[in-house]
Amino acid sequence: MYGVALGYETETYGFTVAYSMKEKTELGTNKTWEDTDSQTDSTYYGLVGYYSPESTPITFSGGVELSDVEGTDTDKTQWTVGVSTELGEGTLSANIGTNGAIKDDAAEEMAYDLSYEYPINDSTSITPFVYIVEESAANTDDAVGLGTFVSFSF
């Protein structure tokens, strides 16, 4: 597996483009290399970015990833967009996107989240969050959850 990413950032915007290739070898029943074994390459392309206009306290962000598995029709796409703003001493964020990589001809399962990052001190922050993940399977409820993430930096 190998990959490369190239990014650029200023005070108001930034982006990263990425490329990755992952090789997968299917070994035969003897778990050793045989003439009937196959190797499949999966290729991934990605783009993420943000924009924070100087005239507003809002930051917009998003990303997209495309994957292509060699010799198959199983191309997949995943994406997300978000918005965040300073609120009080912390940052309020809302995001929407696909629930992982989705086959191009499949129904999209969406995920939504809302979080608030609050700085406790210079090296610690706490981020409570709530999320909803849609489930497309029959007789399956959407996943709903909440939690807290604590970040330490030294």
Side-chain angles (χ1 to χ4, degrees):
M1 179 173 175
Y2 61 90
V4 63
L6 178 64
Y8 180 79
E9 185 174 36
T10 71
E11 289 185 24
T12 56
Y13 71 92
F15 65 89
T16 299
V17 294
Y19 169 84
S20 177
M21 170 73 76
K22 181 179 178 183
E23 297 174 345
K24 179 179 178 183
T25 302
E26 296 290 334
L27 295 179
T29 56
N30 295 329
K31 302 297 180 198
T32 59
W33 185 258
E34 301 172 5
D35 291 338
T36 58
D37 295 341
S38 64
Q39 183 168 342
T40 306
D41 295 337
S42 297
T43 306
Y44 302 90
Y45 306 92
L47 174 66
V48 295
Y50 73 89
Y51 175 60
S52 186
E54 293 179 12
S55 60
T56 67
I58 297 174
T59 299
F60 303 95
S61 60
V64 63
E65 179 187 86
L66 310 170
S67 64
D68 178 27
V69 179
E70 179 183 55
T72 69
D73 290 331
T74 57
D75 295 350
K76 296 181 180 180
T77 304
Q78 59 185 337
W79 60 268
T80 186
V81 294
V83 61
S84 60
T85 187
E86 292 182 13
L87 181 65
E89 293 184 38
T91 303
L92 178 66
S93 298
N95 300 284
I96 182 175
T98 56
N99 182 21
I102 308 293
K103 290 183 181 180
D104 288 344
D105 59 351
E108 287 185 341
E109 293 181 347
M110 302 302 294
Y112 314 88
D113 73 78
L114 182 67
S115 65
Y116 183 74
E117 181 182 23
Y118 181 80
I120 295 174
N121 56 40
D122 288 343
S123 62
T124 308
S125 67
I126 187 168
T127 307
F129 60 88
V130 61
Y131 65 88
I132 300 171
V133 177
E134 293 179 350
E135 296 289 340
S136 63
N139 301 321
T140 305
D141 293 332
D142 292 346
V144 178
L146 55 96
T148 302
F149 178 78
V150 179
S151 176
F152 304 96
S153 62
F154 300 98

